[in-house]
Structure formats: structure tokens, C-alpha cells
């Protein structure tokens, strides 16, 4: 009965579902074999930027809603797809090592035909895989091998080539030097399609001031040889964008995404370089105005596939949307994420209307500054779960709201008083007397000095004065 149940679950049900799916309009029934999928988030274009003031849930949306959109739970991942996932982040020599540990000895042609090597080629979309295999075998060949005349060798030195061009591997040394690759081979050999899997078809990164084209697309990175301390070499390594392009191109039946937080904090024109034009919807692979570019380091021909989404998030208080590069603005669709006070749950036992509190503060901030500097609802989202909501509200004002307002109105605390009122800001110059002398004090006698009251001493009625 157990074997029959596995046969039904892993073979019969998927087979008949595939046959039925070819019938126009057929909808599979909900059940253990066909769990309902959450509705997909619709995107207006391939390139999207979420923008809004701090605390409006931009990063939350990236990490939760969009990550889920590009994540799939599959009941049975094929061994071919599992091989691709296994070698995704591995270098050529690492895949070759796994293949050689499986084959023991082989010529390049046989290495090339191995499923794991085919998965690496499929993922990298490499034009000359045979040359790549040949080169990396020689680079990691033992120094005493007379049949390899390649001068520069890099650790670990695992391979050997005999007089008949048959390659072999030192398995004991491999187990000692790269045990993680041995474990990967065991996982591959022991994999069965009965195992469920979670497939993530996205990558997440954050832009910053030192983020560069070399980190994003491709760059020349140093490689140190462990056998000779002063031997330094360089190799071209793909960045996160190029890696995601390769993944999307090797799997055209699924959507992929590159999620970029704080996209405005990096120099976007420098990070994207000449590829900024290739990301437009009508310039992508297969589009009417398809564009291709040659990468400067690898000299590879590069294009952006249609199934790769680029989704960013930016804080308008940190850098306004108007300050962005015009080329970026033209190629991205902007989705505003304003504060939503309606999402705030009112805590039990707190006599302060948090929704009215946030709405009133933001209306005043927008009147004094602009809507880009409003306060997001996420600052108040966790108060309802706290045992002492008033104490939590005090901490939020002390540690988050007031420091943010002091940054907005730097050097002008009176404007904080315009937003929060007399219970939060008081005048502190009434008892100050300026000394007379050979200087003029008239200009300073009328100057008002304000100080902010410690919010940890405030009561519920003090917070209510903000909106009442």
C-alpha cells in the first residue's frame, strides 16, 4: 500500500494533471496534490521602483510580497533542474571537480557530457565550454604532471593527465581540500524526484555609495595562489545582475527578479553602465527593438531576457525622486507607497488614537516640508503586540519619531513644535540674560530658543493633544 501510494503521488497524479492541463479552460481541483496558489502581484512593467517616505513598507514589500511571487514550492523537482540549482553559484573548476569525483577518470568529451557539467553550461550560457573545461583542468593540475605544460597553477591541485589525454582526480586530496564538493556529489547522486523543493527565482541586493559596475555586471577580481604566496592572478567574475540574467535565459518558462533595496543610494548610471538601455521592455531579448552589447571584460555578447524583472525601492526623504538620473526615471515605472494609517491596529488599553495621531502629524509635515518627508505607518505597527503600549509609544517617539523630525528640521526645533505641540517642545530662553559690552545684543535678545521634552515622561493626554 505504501509503495502504491508513492507511485500514485509521484507518477500518476502529475502525469494526469499534465494531460488535463492541455485541455483549454481546464482548472485543476484544489486538493493535496494541487494546493491553491496565492494570487500573483501584477506589475506594470519589467522595471519598477517603489518610492515613498521612510517607514511605508517598501523593503517589507520587497522581502515578503515580491519574494513570494518569485518563489515556487514544487512537489517534485526533476533531477535536471536540481542539478542546475546545485551548480548555480559554483565556479568551473568546482563543477569539474564534482564531475571527476563521479567519473573517476575521463576525457574532456565525457566530462562535457556529464549532467552536472551540462547544467553549468546551461546556467552560464557559455559559448566555448570545451575550452573552459580544458583551461580549468590545466590550472588545477598537479605540478609534477609532465603532460600539462600550463605554467600558472592554482590551489587546489587535484587533477592528473596521462599520455592518452585521460584525466583523473586525487579523491583523497579532494575530500580533504573541498569536502563541501564531496557532499554536493552525494546530494546529487542520492536525489529523487519524490523530494519536494522550494525554488527561489530572485536575488536581493542593496545599493550603496561604493557599489560599482564590477559588483553589478562583471569585473576583474584577484585570485591568490596558496602554493606561491606572491603569485597573483585575475579572473573575470560575474556580478549579481549578470548572474540573474544567465539564470533567466536558461529558464525562459519562469519569471525571475532582481530586487534592489535603496536603489537611489548608488550611482545608478555608473552601476548599470552601457546596459541601462538594454533593460527597457522593448529592447530586451526577442522584443521588436532588441539591443545587444559587448561586455568590456569578458567580451561576451549581452542582452536582457524578457522574463527578468528589476524591482527597486527608494526612500524619498533620503533622496528625492526628482534628483534621480533622467535615464533611470525614463526606464522605470514608479509606484508610490504612501503612509497608510488604516493599517495600524489600535492597542487595547491605550487611550491614544494612533491612526489619527499619524494622519495629523503627516498633514502638518506635508504643509511645512513636503509629502516626501512624511512618517510611515510601520513605526506604529508593533505597538498593539506589546504588554505596555504606552511605554512602547514613548520609546518610538524617543528613539525614532523625534530623531527623524530633528533631522527634517535641523536647527529649527520650533517647526517640531508646529507638528507636535507645546507638550513636546518648550521655550527655554526666558531665563537667559545676555551680558552687555562692546558688542551688540539687540539681534539676539529677540531670538527664541526651544528644547524638546523627554517623551518618556509624557502621558496619554499629552499624545492626544497632537490631534485633538
Amino acid at each position: 500500500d505504501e509503495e502504491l501510494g508513492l507511485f500514485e503521488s509521484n507518477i500518476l497524479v502529475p502525469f494526469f494533471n499534465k494531460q488535463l492541463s492541455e485541455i483549454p479552460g481546464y482548472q485543476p481541483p484544489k486538493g493535496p496534490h494541487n494546493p491553491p496558489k496565492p494570487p500573483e502581484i501584477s506589475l506594470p512593467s519589467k522595471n519598477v521602483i517603489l518610492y515613498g517616505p521612510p517607514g511605508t513598507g517598501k523593503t517589507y514589500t520587497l522581502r515578503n510580497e515580491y519574494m513570494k511571487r518569485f518563489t515556487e514550492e514544487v512537489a517534485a523537482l526533476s533531477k535536471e533542474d536540481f542539478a542546475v540549482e546545485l551548480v548555480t553559484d559554483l565556479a568551473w573548476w568546482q563543477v569539474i571537480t564534482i564531475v571527476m569525483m563521479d567519473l573517476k577518470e575521463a576525457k574532456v568529451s565525457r566530462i562535457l557530457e556529464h549532467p552536472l557539467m551540462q547544467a553549468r553550461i546551461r546556467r552560464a550560457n557559455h559559448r566555448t565550454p570545451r575550452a573552459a573545461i580544458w583551461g580549468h583542468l590545466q590550472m588545477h593540475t598537479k605540478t609534477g604532471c609532465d603532460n600539462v605544460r600550463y605554467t600558472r597553477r592554482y590551489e587546489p591541485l587535484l587533477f592528473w593527465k596521462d599520455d592518452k589525454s585521460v584525466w583523473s582526480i586525487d579523491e583523497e586530496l579532494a575530500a580533504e581540500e573541498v569536502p563541501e564538493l564531496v557532499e554536493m556529489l552525494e546530494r546529487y547522486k542520492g536525489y529523487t524526484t519524490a523530494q519536494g523543493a522550494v525554488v527561489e527565482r530572485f536575488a536581493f541586493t542593496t545599493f550603496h555609495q561604493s557599489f560599482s559596475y564590477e559588483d553589478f555586471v562583471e569585473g576583474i577580481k584577484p585570485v591568490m595562489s596558496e602554493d606561491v604566496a606572491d603569485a597573483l592572478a585575475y579572473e573575470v567574475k560575474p556580478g549579481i545582475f549578470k548572474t540573474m540574467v544567465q539564470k533567466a535565459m536558461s529558464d525562459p518558462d519562469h519569471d525571475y527578479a532582481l530586487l534592489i533595496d535603496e536603489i537611489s543610494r548608488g550611482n545608478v548610471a555608473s552601476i548599470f553602465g552601457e546596459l541601462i538601455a538594454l533593460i527597457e521592455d522593448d529592447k530586451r531579448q526577442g522584443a521588436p527593438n532588441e539591443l545587444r552589447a559587448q561586455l568590456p571584460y569578458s567580451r561576451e555578447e549581452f542582452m536582457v531576457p524578457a522574463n527578468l524583472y528589476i524591482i527597486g525601492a527608494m526612500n524619498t526623504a533620503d533622496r528625492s525622486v526628482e534628483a534621480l538620473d533622467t535615464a533611470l526615471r525614463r526606464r522605470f515605472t514608479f509606484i508610490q507607497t504612501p503612509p497608510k494609517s488604516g493599517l495600524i491596529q489600535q492597542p487595547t488599553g491605550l487611550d491614544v488614537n494612533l491612526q489619527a495621531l499619524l494622519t495629523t502629524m503627516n498633514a502638518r509635515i506635508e504643509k511645512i516640508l513636503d509629502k516626501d518627508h512624511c512618517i510611515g505607518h510601520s513605526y506604529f505597527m508593533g505597538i498593539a503586540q506589546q504588554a505596555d503600549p504606552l511605554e512602547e509609544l514613548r520609546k518610538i517617539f524617543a528613539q525614532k519619531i523625534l530623531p527623524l523630525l530633528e533631522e527634517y528640521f535641523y536647527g529649527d526645533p520650533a517647526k517640531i513644535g508646529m507638528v507636535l505641540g507645546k507638550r513636546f517642545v518648550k521655550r527655554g530662553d526666558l531665563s537667559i540674560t545676555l551680558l552687555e559690552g562692546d558688542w551688540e545684543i539687540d539681534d539676539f535678545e529677540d531670538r527664541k530658543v526651544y528644547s524638546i521634552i523627554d517623551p518618556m515622561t509624557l502621558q496619554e493626554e499629552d499624545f492626544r493633544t497632537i490631534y485633538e
Side-chain angles (χ1 to χ4, degrees):
D1 290 345
E2 183 179 355
E3 293 179 356
L4 182 60
L6 290 173
F7 177 76
E8 175 191 353
S9 174
N10 299 320
I11 298 178
L12 291 183
V13 171
F15 172 77
F16 283 114
N17 281 345
K18 184 178 184 300
Q19 306 302 313
L20 291 169
S21 64
E22 297 176 359
I23 301 175
Y26 171 75
Q27 295 293 332
K30 297 177 182 179
H33 301 298
N34 300 289
K37 292 184 178 180
E40 287 191 352
I41 302 173
S42 60
L43 293 168
S45 70
K46 305 292 183 184
N47 310 313
V48 174
I49 289 181
L50 309 176
Y51 74 99
T56 55
K58 300 176 293 297
T59 304
Y60 177 87
T61 302
L62 285 184
R63 290 184 175 274
N64 292 273
E65 296 183 14
Y66 288 110
M67 283 186 178
K68 289 180 181 178
R69 186 194 186 283
F70 298 97
T71 301
E72 181 183 3
E73 294 185 7
V74 293
L77 190 68
S78 69
K79 197 162 186 175
E80 291 76 13
D81 291 335
F82 177 73
V84 173
E85 294 295 325
L86 194 67
V87 303
T88 292
D89 299 320
L90 298 183
W92 281 97
W93 73 268
Q94 292 174 311
V95 181
I96 294 171
T97 301
I98 298 176
V99 171
M100 288 304 300
M101 285 191 294
D102 189 25
L103 299 178
K104 310 303 181 185
E105 59 179 33
K107 290 189 175 183
V108 173
S109 298
R110 191 180 174 201
I111 298 173
L112 185 65
E113 296 170 355
H114 193 279
L116 286 174
M117 184 55 64
Q118 287 295 311
R120 179 65 174 84
I121 296 169
R122 175 185 167 191
R123 179 62 88 196
N125 197 26
H126 203 283
R127 285 188 170 185
T128 56
R130 180 181 292 272
I133 296 171
W134 188 271
H136 285 277
L137 279 168
Q138 295 183 94
M139 282 190 285
H140 295 275
T141 298
K142 292 177 176 290
T143 53
C145 183
D146 297 331
N147 296 310
V148 174
R149 298 180 181 179
Y150 197 82
T151 54
R152 290 193 174 185
R153 311 286 176 91
Y154 304 103
E155 293 283 348
L157 304 179
L158 304 171
F159 307 123
W160 188 271
K161 180 185 176 184
D162 64 15
D163 298 336
K164 298 180 180 179
S165 298
V166 175
W167 293 89
S168 58
I169 185 172
D170 188 334
E171 294 188 68
E172 292 185 3
L173 183 60
E176 179 182 342
E177 295 285 337
V178 285
E180 68 279 6
L181 300 183
V182 178
E183 188 268 337
M184 285 185 179
L185 176 60
E186 294 301 319
R187 286 172 56 198
Y188 172 73
K189 293 170 68 175
Y191 181 81
T192 63
T193 55
Q195 299 170 341
V198 176
V199 181
E200 295 181 345
R201 299 188 178 94
F202 66 85
F204 182 86
T205 189
T206 302
F207 279 4
H208 48 81
Q209 288 82 351
S210 60
F211 202 86
S212 66
Y213 178 92
E214 285 72 19
D215 301 314
F216 192 63
V217 184
E218 67 173 12
I220 299 177
K221 305 293 184 181
V223 178
M224 289 296 297
S225 175
E226 296 181 5
D227 56 340
V228 182
D230 59 349
L232 180 62
Y234 296 89
E235 66 177 354
V236 178
K237 286 197 171 183
I240 188 170
F241 179 50
K242 183 179 178 182
T243 300
M244 288 308 300
V245 166
Q246 292 172 343
K247 289 183 178 181
M249 293 184 70
S250 66
D251 186 15
D253 295 331
H254 295 95
D255 288 340
Y256 285 75
L258 176 59
L259 309 178
I260 307 172
D261 198 15
E262 303 289 355
I263 192 171
S264 60
R265 292 182 65 84
N267 187 336
V268 178
S270 175
I271 292 172
F272 277 87
E274 74 280 11
L275 306 183
I276 189 68
L278 275 63
I279 67 174
E280 294 183 54
D281 290 6
D282 66 328
K283 305 292 193 305
R284 296 190 174 211
Q285 183 184 25
N289 302 315
E290 177 184 289
L291 276 182
R292 303 175 181 227
Q294 188 178 62
L295 298 179
Y297 297 113
S298 63
R299 314 306 296 176
E300 293 178 6
E301 192 177 64
F302 188 86
M303 69 183 76
V304 180
N307 60 328
L308 176 63
Y309 288 81
I310 303 174
I311 306 172
M314 61 171 289
N315 186 347
T316 52
D318 178 59
R319 181 179 179 185
S320 179
V321 177
E322 287 78 11
L324 282 178
D325 186 274
T326 305
L328 177 75
R329 288 179 51 80
R330 185 169 65 84
R331 291 177 170 91
F332 277 82
T333 299
F334 285 77
I335 300 177
Q336 187 178 17
T337 57
K340 298 178 181 178
S341 59
L343 297 178
I344 302 174
Q345 183 180 355
Q346 182 63 33
T348 303
L350 179 66
D351 192 15
V352 179
N353 190 327
L354 296 182
Q355 295 186 9
L357 181 73
L358 179 63
T359 301
T360 305
M361 287 193 300
N362 281 337
R364 292 169 182 160
I365 293 172
E366 185 174 352
K367 187 174 181 63
I368 299 171
L369 278 176
D370 51 53
K371 65 179 182 179
D372 290 339
H373 290 79
C374 289
I375 298 173
H377 52 270
S378 66
Y379 290 105
F380 300 91
M381 294 294 284
I383 297 179
Q385 285 73 45
Q386 300 299 319
D388 189 345
L390 176 58
E391 183 70 12
E392 184 66 18
L393 181 61
R394 291 168 176 162
K395 289 180 181 179
I396 289 172
F397 266 80
Q399 301 171 5
K400 297 179 180 180
I401 303 299
L402 283 171
L404 187 63
L405 293 178
E406 287 183 285
E407 181 182 344
Y408 287 172
F409 306 116
Y410 183 76
D412 195 357
K415 291 181 178 178
I416 300 179
M418 297 179 191
V419 175
L420 302 180
K422 296 181 181 179
R423 303 289 182 99
F424 291 81
V425 179
K426 67 178 180 179
R427 188 171 175 181
D429 64 315
L430 299 177
S431 61
I432 299 175
T433 302
L434 301 179
L435 299 178
E436 297 184 0
D438 294 336
W439 46 84
E440 296 291 336
I441 66 172
D442 295 340
D443 295 337
F444 300 99
E445 283 188 330
D446 295 333
R447 184 179 179 184
K448 299 177 181 179
V449 178
Y450 297 92
S451 61
I452 297 175
I453 298 173
D454 182 7
M456 300 303 295
T457 63
L458 300 178
Q459 303 301 319
E460 290 179 340
E461 57 267 22
D462 298 316
F463 289 97
R464 288 200 302 268
T465 59
I466 294 177
Y467 60 87
E468 287 183 348

